[in-house]
């Protein structure tokens, strides 16, 4: 297995796309819960004292004139890495990304490829040269397993071997022993627990009795060890290759009439549009080939925004055909997509831009039907209120009761984004039966509705305090928890006694 790690990938990706940023202090900024911080920074910015996690205002003050600040775009990072994985198929037919969020390592199945490149060392040297030619800094490792290759590429000491290393078969345990615990791809909470118990490297964990690991630290630790040593299987999930879109039709009898040719083109365009919509892709450039008895007529058509509309390209092709003279009958037509892009998915408003029932008859009719079928109390709207306590920051009112002027809301601008609050907020916070980590003080797992949920990631805290004039002051530290099943919940720790409560679902 071959692993290629790309250090500081968000910065590398941006500099590769914008070469004018190379050699300049650069940082990527992200905003969460109203707080802007540094997501990643270049080596030039690090020399100025900037590091990831630093508040953006503090980082900006260190180099106000020279510093280049760009927004962090995790989706663009992933898409660019997936494209790079497609390009790397020249080294191996099976190429995938590491199973982490966000991925920073390319994984290859290199079994049987050494003979094609001369040797294993030649394979690594060629991959390193090709990556350097594209402007990327990489570290490569070849080993028996995915876990061992990843660990050495990411955490191995490669100071004197040009960033590439081969782990001979059967010595993975010795190669893993001096590496830090993070090399086993463990959750941060488990790494913190092991560190608190005095474990510093993988070798310390490997010395423990195997039968005691599941009961003391859970099954994930034993699974990662077995995967790294080859005792448990682990597969590379290959990145799907971008589909190629092309259609062709041959005619039993050559077409002479122009209207028959247009009808055949429209039929092909509709077939091509269906294939594009299945993959949620749109055309930017389309090539049309008309094969005649003694010649081939070819032309390209393009659009500004990607589209999968057959009618749009039929009109553009008609414009080209008006300027093209076919001297012979057409025997075949072929359409090939030269450039495509993800099709933009935009949510349209339900009833245009009208929010007032009196000016939107369709919306008023919907409210009338719902209220008469479900009851007047069932059709309500939410009115925001200025209140720090989330469960008191809104008021539900019946739509058919109207809205008296003296009750109009005065919330003009929310202090948080739409994704910072759960879509499903409980009427009242519910006590959470959680297992708390002794080091971080955060939940490791919790029970809800008779099921046990394991916490994978935690974001926070966001502190919410009510005013001093309240009879009972409320102080809470809110966290977003992501479970192993991918569900995200909104919970908080009550500051006065440290108890945890569940307040909503994202």
């Amino acid at each position: 297995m071959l692993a290629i790690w790309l250090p500081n990938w968000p910065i590398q990706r941006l500099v590769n796309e914008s070469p004018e940023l190379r050699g300049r202090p650069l940082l990527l900024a992200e905003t969460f819960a109203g707080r802007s911080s540094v997501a990643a920074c270049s080596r030039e910015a690090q020399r100025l004292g900037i590091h990831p996690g630093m508040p953006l205002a503090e980082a900006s003050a260190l180099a106000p004139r020279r510093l280049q600040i760009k927004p962090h775009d995790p989706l663009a990072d992933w898409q660019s890495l997936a494209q790079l994985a497609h390009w790397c198929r020249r080294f191996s037919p099976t190429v995938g990304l590491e199973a982490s969020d966000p991925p920073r390592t390319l994984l290859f199945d290199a079994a049987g490829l050494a003979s094609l490149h001369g040797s294993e060392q030649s394979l690594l040297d060629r991959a390193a040269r090709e990556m350097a030619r594209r402007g990327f800094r990489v570290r490569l490792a070849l080993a028996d397993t995915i876990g061992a290759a990843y660990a050495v590429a990411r955490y191995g000491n490669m100071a004197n071997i040009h960033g590439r290393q081969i782990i001979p078969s059967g010595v993975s345990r010795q190669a893993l022993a001096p590496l830090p615990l993070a090399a086993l791809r463990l959750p941060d909470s488990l790494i913190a627990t092991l560190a608190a118990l005095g474990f510093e490297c993988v070798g310390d964990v490997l010395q423990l009795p195997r039968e005691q690991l599941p009961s003391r630290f859970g099954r994930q630790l034993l699974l990662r060890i077995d995967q790294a040593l080859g005792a448990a299987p682990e597969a590379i999930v290959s990145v799907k290759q971008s589909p190629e879109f092309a259609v062709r039709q041959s005619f039993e009898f050559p077409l002479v009439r122009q209207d028959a040719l247009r009808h055949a083109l429209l039929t092909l365009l509709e077939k091509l549009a269906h294939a594009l919509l299945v993959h949620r892709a749109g055309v930017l450039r389309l090539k049309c080939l008309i094969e005649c008895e003694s010649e081939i007529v070819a032309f390209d058509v393009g659009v500004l925004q990607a589209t999968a509309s057959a009618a749009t390209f039929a009109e553009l092709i008609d414009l080209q055909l008006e300027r093209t003279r076919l001297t012979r009958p057409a025997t075949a037509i072929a359409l090939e997509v030269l450039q495509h892009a993800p099709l933009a998915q935009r949510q349209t408003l339900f009833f245009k831009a009208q929010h007032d029932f009196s000016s939107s008859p369709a919306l008023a009719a919907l409210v009338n039907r719902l209220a008469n079928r479900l009851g007047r109390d069932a059709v309500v709207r939410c009115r925001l209120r200025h209140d720090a306590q989330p469960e008191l920051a809104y008021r539900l009112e019946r739509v058919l009761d109207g809205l008296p002027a003296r009750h109009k809301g005065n919330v003009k601008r929310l202090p948080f984004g739409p994704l910072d609050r759960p879509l499903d907020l409980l009427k009242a916070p519910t006590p959470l039966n959680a297992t708390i980590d002794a080091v971080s003080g955060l939940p490791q797992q919790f029970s809800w509705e008779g099921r046990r949920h394991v916490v994978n990631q935690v974001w926070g805290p966001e502190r919410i305090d009510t005013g001093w004039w309240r009879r009972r002051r409320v102080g809470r530290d809110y966290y977003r928890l992501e479970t192993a099943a991918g569900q995200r919940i909104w919970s908080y720790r009550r500051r006065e006694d440290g108890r945890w409560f569940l307040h909503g679902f994202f």
Side-chain angles (χ1 to χ4, degrees), residues 69 91 110 194 325 400 457:
I69 302 177
F91 306 126
L194 291 169
R325 183 180 179 183
L400 294 185
Q457 295 191 65

Side-chain angles (χ1 to χ4, degrees), residues 153-446:
R154 176 67 177 83
Y155 297 97
N157 184 8
M158 299 186 181
N160 300 322
I161 49 179
H162 309 290
R164 60 200 82 156
Q165 187 171 352
I166 298 176
I167 307 302
S169 180
V171 298
S172 295
R173 178 181 290 266
Q174 293 87 325
L176 291 171
L179 302 183
L181 296 172
L184 290 176
R185 299 173 293 169
L186 301 173
D188 293 340
S189 58
L190 181 54
I191 293 176
T193 301
L194 291 169
L197 295 174
F199 297 98
E200 298 180 354
C201 61
V202 177
D204 296 339
V205 179
L206 294 178
Q207 294 177 3
L208 293 175
R210 174 185 174 85
E211 61 275 5
Q212 295 182 10
L213 293 180
S215 60
R216 297 179 62 183
F217 304 106
R219 296 188 176 275
Q220 190 169 14
L221 176 59
L222 184 59
L223 174 63
R224 287 305 193 188
I225 291 175
D226 287 345
Q227 287 177 340
L229 298 179
E234 184 178 9
I236 295 177
V237 180
S238 182
V239 177
K240 293 183 179 180
Q241 194 168 4
S242 299
E244 296 182 359
F245 302 101
V247 290
R248 189 178 187 276
Q249 181 180 359
S250 299
F251 307 123
E252 184 177 359
F253 301 100
L255 297 183
V256 179
R257 296 177 52 183
Q258 197 80 355
D259 57 343
L261 183 62
R262 285 193 172 92
H263 177 75
L265 277 169
L266 183 59
T267 302
L268 280 182
L269 284 170
E270 291 175 348
K271 183 178 180 181
L272 186 63
H274 176 73
L276 288 163
L277 289 173
V278 169
H279 292 85
R280 296 182 181 179
V283 183
L284 290 172
R285 284 183 58 217
L286 180 68
K287 185 175 183 178
C288 179
L289 292 172
I290 302 177
E291 300 178 11
C292 300
E293 290 180 342
S294 59
E295 63 178 346
I296 296 179
V297 178
F299 53 84
D300 296 354
V301 292
V303 293
L304 181 62
Q305 293 181 340
T307 179
S309 171
T312 298
F313 277 96
E315 181 180 354
L316 297 177
I317 291 177
D318 276 344
L319 294 176
Q320 292 286 345
L321 289 177
E322 291 176 0
R323 298 181 298 175
T324 304
R325 183 180 179 183
L326 301 180
T327 59
R328 299 287 183 180
T331 59
I333 301 176
L335 300 176
E336 180 183 357
V337 177
L338 299 179
Q339 186 179 0
H340 62 86
L343 200 61
Q345 302 289 330
R346 296 185 177 90
Q347 181 176 349
T348 57
L349 294 176
F350 194 34
F351 293 108
K352 298 181 180 180
Q354 298 172 335
H355 301 283
D356 186 4
F357 303 130
S358 61
S359 60
S360 177
L363 184 57
L366 174 63
V367 171
N368 293 338
R369 288 196 299 271
L370 292 175
N372 284 278
R373 174 166 297 192
L374 304 176
R376 295 170 60 91
D377 295 336
V379 185
V380 297
R381 58 181 164 188
C382 182
R383 184 68 59 183
L384 297 180
R385 302 171 59 188
H386 273 305
D387 200 299
Q389 195 168 341
E391 62 267 29
L392 302 180
Y394 69 96
R395 180 181 68 253
L396 295 178
E397 55 187 26
R398 291 189 297 188
V399 172
L400 294 185
D401 286 350
L403 182 64
R406 60 188 179 89
H407 289 308
K408 284 186 178 180
N410 58 355
V411 180
K412 297 181 179 179
R413 186 175 183 273
L414 295 175
F416 48 81
L419 299 180
D420 296 332
R421 291 294 182 267
L423 297 176
D424 184 8
L425 188 70
L426 301 181
K427 291 183 178 180
T430 303
L432 195 63
N433 182 16
T435 302
I436 307 301
D437 182 69
V439 178
S440 63
L442 300 177
Q444 288 183 314
Q445 53 186 353
F446 62 90

